[in-house]
Short mmCIF file of all heavy atoms in Angstrom, two decimals:
data_model
loop_
_atom_site.label_atom_id
_atom_site.label_comp_id
_atom_site.label_asym_id
_atom_site.label_seq_id
_atom_site.Cartn_x
_atom_site.Cartn_y
_atom_site.Cartn_z
N LYS A 1 -19.97 -28.39 12.05
CA LYS A 1 -18.78 -27.97 12.54
C LYS A 1 -18.20 -26.92 11.62
O LYS A 1 -17.51 -25.96 11.98
CB LYS A 1 -17.73 -29.01 12.80
CG LYS A 1 -17.42 -29.87 11.46
CD LYS A 1 -16.54 -30.98 11.84
CE LYS A 1 -16.22 -31.90 10.60
NZ LYS A 1 -15.41 -32.98 10.81
N GLU A 2 -18.51 -27.04 10.25
CA GLU A 2 -18.03 -25.99 9.31
C GLU A 2 -18.73 -24.69 9.57
O GLU A 2 -18.08 -23.63 9.48
CB GLU A 2 -18.30 -26.44 7.86
CG GLU A 2 -17.48 -27.72 7.44
CD GLU A 2 -18.04 -28.98 7.87
OE1 GLU A 2 -19.15 -28.95 8.50
OE2 GLU A 2 -17.51 -30.13 7.66
N VAL A 3 -20.01 -24.74 9.96
CA VAL A 3 -20.71 -23.63 10.23
C VAL A 3 -20.19 -22.87 11.51
O VAL A 3 -19.95 -21.73 11.62
CB VAL A 3 -22.25 -23.88 10.39
CG1 VAL A 3 -22.96 -22.60 10.85
CG2 VAL A 3 -22.85 -24.40 9.17
N ALA A 4 -19.90 -23.77 12.48
CA ALA A 4 -19.22 -23.21 13.81
C ALA A 4 -17.98 -22.53 13.45
O ALA A 4 -17.63 -21.52 14.05
CB ALA A 4 -19.14 -24.32 14.82
N LEU A 5 -17.05 -23.14 12.61
CA LEU A 5 -15.79 -22.60 12.25
C LEU A 5 -16.00 -21.28 11.59
O LEU A 5 -15.31 -20.29 11.87
CB LEU A 5 -15.01 -23.55 11.43
CG LEU A 5 -13.62 -23.04 10.90
CD1 LEU A 5 -12.70 -22.76 12.08
CD2 LEU A 5 -13.00 -24.09 10.02
N ALA A 6 -16.89 -21.26 10.59
CA ALA A 6 -17.23 -19.94 9.86
C ALA A 6 -17.61 -18.92 10.87
O ALA A 6 -17.27 -17.73 10.84
CB ALA A 6 -18.34 -20.20 8.80
N GLY A 7 -18.50 -19.33 11.90
CA GLY A 7 -18.96 -18.44 12.93
C GLY A 7 -17.92 -17.79 13.79
O GLY A 7 -17.84 -16.63 14.02
N VAL A 8 -16.94 -18.66 14.16
CA VAL A 8 -15.82 -18.21 14.96
C VAL A 8 -14.95 -17.24 14.13
O VAL A 8 -14.54 -16.18 14.65
CB VAL A 8 -14.94 -19.47 15.36
CG1 VAL A 8 -13.60 -18.99 15.87
CG2 VAL A 8 -15.72 -20.35 16.32
N VAL A 9 -14.66 -17.56 12.84
CA VAL A 9 -13.91 -16.66 11.98
C VAL A 9 -14.65 -15.33 11.88
O VAL A 9 -13.97 -14.25 11.97
CB VAL A 9 -13.69 -17.23 10.61
CG1 VAL A 9 -12.92 -16.27 9.72
CG2 VAL A 9 -12.81 -18.59 10.76
N LEU A 10 -15.90 -15.27 11.65
CA LEU A 10 -16.58 -14.06 11.46
C LEU A 10 -16.67 -13.24 12.77
O LEU A 10 -16.57 -12.04 12.79
CB LEU A 10 -18.03 -14.36 10.96
CG LEU A 10 -18.14 -14.86 9.50
CD1 LEU A 10 -19.65 -15.17 9.23
CD2 LEU A 10 -17.63 -13.85 8.51
N ALA A 11 -16.82 -14.03 13.89
CA ALA A 11 -16.81 -13.32 15.19
C ALA A 11 -15.46 -12.65 15.45
O ALA A 11 -15.45 -11.61 15.96
CB ALA A 11 -17.13 -14.37 16.33
N LEU A 12 -14.32 -13.34 15.08
CA LEU A 12 -13.07 -12.76 15.21
C LEU A 12 -12.88 -11.57 14.22
O LEU A 12 -12.37 -10.48 14.73
CB LEU A 12 -11.94 -13.77 14.83
CG LEU A 12 -10.58 -13.30 15.04
CD1 LEU A 12 -10.20 -12.86 16.37
CD2 LEU A 12 -9.63 -14.39 14.52
N VAL A 13 -13.43 -11.62 13.05
CA VAL A 13 -13.36 -10.41 12.17
C VAL A 13 -14.14 -9.22 12.79
O VAL A 13 -13.77 -8.11 12.76
CB VAL A 13 -13.87 -10.80 10.74
CG1 VAL A 13 -14.05 -9.58 9.82
CG2 VAL A 13 -12.94 -11.81 10.05
N GLY A 14 -15.36 -9.57 13.21
CA GLY A 14 -16.21 -8.51 13.83
C GLY A 14 -15.59 -7.96 15.13
O GLY A 14 -15.58 -6.68 15.29
N LEU A 15 -14.86 -8.77 15.85
CA LEU A 15 -14.24 -8.29 17.12
C LEU A 15 -13.10 -7.39 16.76
O LEU A 15 -12.91 -6.31 17.38
CB LEU A 15 -13.79 -9.47 17.97
CG LEU A 15 -13.16 -9.08 19.26
CD1 LEU A 15 -14.10 -8.25 20.24
CD2 LEU A 15 -12.64 -10.42 20.02
N LEU A 16 -12.28 -7.77 15.75
CA LEU A 16 -11.18 -6.91 15.28
C LEU A 16 -11.72 -5.63 14.83
O LEU A 16 -11.11 -4.55 15.10
CB LEU A 16 -10.37 -7.69 14.31
CG LEU A 16 -9.51 -8.93 14.82
CD1 LEU A 16 -8.96 -9.56 13.59
CD2 LEU A 16 -8.51 -8.47 15.84
N GLY A 17 -12.79 -5.68 14.01
CA GLY A 17 -13.32 -4.42 13.49
C GLY A 17 -13.80 -3.43 14.61
O GLY A 17 -13.57 -2.27 14.62
N SER A 18 -14.48 -4.03 15.69
CA SER A 18 -15.06 -3.23 16.78
C SER A 18 -13.87 -2.63 17.62
O SER A 18 -14.03 -1.64 18.27
CB SER A 18 -16.03 -4.09 17.62
OG SER A 18 -15.33 -5.13 18.15
N LEU A 19 -12.81 -3.35 17.54
CA LEU A 19 -11.62 -2.88 18.49
C LEU A 19 -10.68 -1.84 17.78
O LEU A 19 -10.24 -0.97 18.39
CB LEU A 19 -10.82 -4.15 18.91
CG LEU A 19 -11.42 -5.08 19.91
CD1 LEU A 19 -10.50 -6.31 20.19
CD2 LEU A 19 -11.78 -4.36 21.19
N PHE A 20 -10.54 -2.04 16.40
CA PHE A 20 -9.55 -1.25 15.76
C PHE A 20 -10.07 -0.16 14.86
O PHE A 20 -9.34 0.72 14.50
CB PHE A 20 -8.60 -2.11 15.03
CG PHE A 20 -7.77 -3.02 15.87
CD1 PHE A 20 -8.06 -4.41 15.98
CD2 PHE A 20 -6.61 -2.55 16.49
CE1 PHE A 20 -7.27 -5.22 16.82
CE2 PHE A 20 -5.86 -3.40 17.36
CZ PHE A 20 -6.26 -4.72 17.53
N ILE A 21 -11.36 -0.21 14.54
CA ILE A 21 -11.99 0.80 13.69
C ILE A 21 -12.37 1.86 14.66
O ILE A 21 -13.11 1.73 15.57
CB ILE A 21 -13.15 0.34 12.90
CG1 ILE A 21 -12.70 -0.75 11.89
CG2 ILE A 21 -13.81 1.47 12.19
CD1 ILE A 21 -13.85 -1.33 11.11
N ARG A 22 -11.91 3.12 14.38
CA ARG A 22 -12.12 4.28 15.29
C ARG A 22 -13.21 5.19 14.68
O ARG A 22 -12.83 5.87 13.70
CB ARG A 22 -10.88 5.01 15.69
CG ARG A 22 -9.69 4.09 16.19
CD ARG A 22 -8.59 4.93 16.85
NE ARG A 22 -9.07 5.44 18.17
CZ ARG A 22 -9.04 4.86 19.32
NH1 ARG A 22 -8.48 3.64 19.25
NH2 ARG A 22 -9.37 5.34 20.39
N PRO A 23 -14.34 5.23 15.18
CA PRO A 23 -15.36 6.20 14.66
C PRO A 23 -15.09 7.63 14.97
O PRO A 23 -14.77 7.92 16.16
CB PRO A 23 -16.64 5.69 15.37
CG PRO A 23 -16.24 5.02 16.55
CD PRO A 23 -14.97 4.42 16.26
N ARG A 24 -15.06 8.46 14.00
CA ARG A 24 -14.78 9.87 14.18
C ARG A 24 -15.85 10.75 13.44
O ARG A 24 -16.33 10.26 12.42
CB ARG A 24 -13.33 10.24 13.63
CG ARG A 24 -12.27 9.64 14.43
CD ARG A 24 -10.94 10.27 13.99
NE ARG A 24 -9.92 9.72 14.81
CZ ARG A 24 -9.04 8.79 14.45
NH1 ARG A 24 -9.20 8.22 13.27
NH2 ARG A 24 -8.03 8.29 15.16
#
């Protein structure tokens, strides 16, 4: 469950990065 929690946090970080980082 700790691994799952870490995975959820990392998935959220990755999702935020893919949504808010604008490649130019």
Side-chain angles (χ1 to χ4, degrees):
K1 61 183 179 181
E2 294 83 4
V3 177
L5 177 60
V8 170
V9 173
L10 291 177
L12 181 60
V13 172
L15 181 61
L16 291 176
S18 63
L19 290 177
F20 294 104
I21 296 177
R22 309 195 70 86
R24 293 191 177 99

